[in-house]
Amino acid sequence: MAFTVNVKNASGFAPALAEREVLAAHETLVNGTGRGNDFLGWVRLPLQNNEEELARIEAAAAKIRSNSQVLLVIGIGGSYLGARAAIEFVRSPNYNLVVKDSPQVIFAGNTLSAWQTAEIFDMLEGKDVSVNVISKSGTTTEPAVAFRLFREYMEKKYGVEGAKERIYATTDKAKGALKSLADANGYPCFVIPDDVGGRFSVLTPVGLLPIAVAGIDIRQMLAGAKSMAEKLIHDKSMHNPAWVYAATRNALYRKGYTTEIFASYEPRVRYTAEWWKQLYGESEGKEGKGIFPASVELTADLHSMGQYIQEGERFLMETVVGFAEADETLQVPFALKNEDGLNFLAGHAVSELNNMAEAGTILAHMDGGVPVMEVTVDNASAYCFGELVYFFEFACGLSGYLLGVNPFDQPGVEAYKQNMYALIGKPGFEDRRAELEKRL
Amino acid sequence: MAFTVNVKNASGFAPALAEREVLAAHETLVNGTGRGNDFLGWVRLPLQNNEEELARIEAAAAKIRSNSQVLLVIGIGGSYLGARAAIEFVRSPNYNLVVKDSPQVIFAGNTLSAWQTAEIFDMLEGKDVSVNVISKSGTTTEPAVAFRLFREYMEKKYGVEGAKERIYATTDKAKGALKSLADANGYPCFVIPDDVGGRFSVLTPVGLLPIAVAGIDIRQMLAGAKSMAEKLIHDKSMHNPAWVYAATRNALYRKGYTTEIFASYEPRVRYTAEWWKQLYGESEGKEGKGIFPASVELTADLHSMGQYIQEGERFLMETVVGFAEADETLQVPFALKNEDGLNFLAGHAVSELNNMAEAGTILAHMDGGVPVMEVTVDNASAYCFGELVYFFEFACGLSGYLLGVNPFDQPGVEAYKQNMYALIGKPGFEDRRAELEKRL
């Protein structure tokens, strides 16, 4: 088996894009000749062998695993979604509840909720803790505020010297507030490359350290990404699965399918969907354009969003991420009295039911007017996660160029920050503050 | 303070609906003269005082709390989303990780994932368990399969007699597979009223038993719902907050705003958003119509979906659910060296930052072309959750009638079930099976 993309239930809904158009987007991406080309470090990242960095990450992870019951990861957006996606996908969506052989990984600094932050303090009680603070600049409000709070906590708990043994910074190689702070305090540093944006950073130390702490084989993950990169960079044809996905979703978008639902039949894929929503939403949602990314967890949400998908407004397309292999251990038991009438299922594997639900739903949605694309990986290994990550990243670059935007900037993220700074009284924002307060 | 709905940042985006149109929808709903009027039991439910049922629920909850470390709730769609929403809203989104004074509440039967189901078995290990199986018919595949598996587990663990003391059925008052099975086995039963659909059932025993087990005051929750019902049923004017919300979102929909994003700045509201997505998506998404419901958790998702919301396709409206009261205990600490430049925030409560982020984002989104509605409750009490639930339910009924659909059916949910039954080989589906298999 292998990684596949299947669009037979989608391609009939819109005229296909010309192959030369996809080729042009491919050349633009691979040759670095398009908009945002100073942020293309992720394209060849998995082809590089940075043994020294990997060894440092593995050593830090081993130390954290040996001296901590909790790794607190402080980061927002691309600085936590990739790691959380990997941990849920490879280990479990209930990782912190069930884990026994690795530290819990608790994500902080991705909220300004005082309730949530106070609760994290409760969750640390009685446990040994390490902290990985992840920020390119060190001045993004959410993680910076959280790091102030948790650094103080660590220094109280372990002393200033002790805290140095337990705080790891993932940040710029040379500049920025977090880099200065880390250097001044002697925290070990890992580098966020200059040419890799946050939403493309899961295969850099941003993702690698927390993922390794969770007991996942990061070399296998990188090997999966590498094999995918070799395929996608070199195959200039419609056999390239990234071409198929990017071309199909753009063809559908031009035909009026403006919303894409990322669906999976496994709860472990939920945060991969959240990671995907940032990747595509932030890369494409600009200049009044872009496919709106949404997600569902099936079959659960067939009993909530299912009605809308089947019969609501017809601007939906769906992308199902599935698994080729199935564990058939768990079977539906036979019941002597058959009170629920389910004996016709007895002896079937639960995973077989899930597969039939998936196959049946794809056809039902297609019949209801929703084009469905299918992305299938073999299993929930680190290797397959790496494949999936690189596939979606590469297809995202292609897709953004097909759409005609710069897929690597995010100018709209500033708007709320400027207003927040003004309202909270940041020096230099006095005029804006006066203006906004009139409107509250 | 009190419950408020504020549409000043939305109403300028579309011509208002005529008041007589909203009045007509109100009369249709309250007088029960419209489509789906056999499913209006929820409208006056909070006005009834069913003391006997409440006392039975509280007694069952007390027993479960005294003899179990886990309550396993088996149900899908409306049979779990309401309870999960309440537990996360009133207690915590990390309830199962942090709870000390109540049983964990684990939701099963809302998936066909074998991985997830097997993991739930692991999570039960070494713990005393009770089960609440929730299904009107008892034949919905997901919960029925799960109940076969977990009933077998309970009978092995506690013996057939012991299991009877730990299994509770919430189902039809008289008919159906689960009712028969429960009666035959002597499981205590709680009633799902005939005239209340799944997505409107959180204030019936469907929600009440698991919510009470989690240590939440269900009488307070019902009191909040009652006070809201008294207001919404009787106020036939644009002072009625449900009128304001239903009329505004329909006015926007008619103007081309086809997607509504439910946003909150508190992680504890995440599953209330999931519950809301079922409520509105299933009620309105039919006949090729309806607002597509999506959700974000802010400020986290300002660093993922924020770019799209600010600058993507302009068919978005946003509804922010916020809190009037704030806990100001947690403050940003002062840092002697001010390495991160955040000393201008020192001494501010984190909740104040969150409020400024919310206020600033609302203005930024509005300036970006996204109309924003605001729904504000006082706090995260059971009472306020009850208010919120009834408000969204009543507004949903109004909204569905304004849209011109039957808000109380869900015909599209059958499509996937039929295909799944056929593919898995359910007797009677042989022809469909042959047809579908050709298409796989």
Side-chain angles (χ1 to χ4, degrees), chain A residues 92 94 113 119 142 148 253 266 268 288 290 299 303 307-308 311 313 333 340 343 360 367 412 416 419 439, chain B residues 92 94 113 115 119 142 148 253 266 288 290 299 303 307-308 311 313 333 340 343 360 367 412 416 419 439:
Chain A
S92 162
N94 308 304
S113 164
E119 192 161 80
E142 292 86 345
R148 276 205 175 195
Y253 177 65
E266 291 294 347
R268 66 194 319 147
T299 62
H303 295 254
Q307 168 65 36
Y308 193 106
E311 297 188 342
E313 289 259 7
D340 53 12
N343 268 351
D367 292 342
Y416 100 91
N419 285 358
R439 297 171 61 194
Chain B
S92 163
N94 308 304
S113 164
W115 277 323
E119 191 161 80
E142 291 87 344
R148 276 205 176 194
Y253 177 65
E266 291 294 347
T299 62
H303 295 255
Q307 168 64 37
Y308 193 105
E311 298 187 341
E313 289 259 7
D340 52 12
N343 269 350
D367 291 342
Y416 99 90
N419 284 0
R439 297 172 61 195

Side-chain angles (χ1 to χ4, degrees), chain A residues 354-369:
Chain A
N354 207 18
N355 288 341
M356 294 300 108
E358 181 173 332
T361 304
I362 288 169
L363 294 178
H365 287 177
M366 189 206 169
D367 292 342

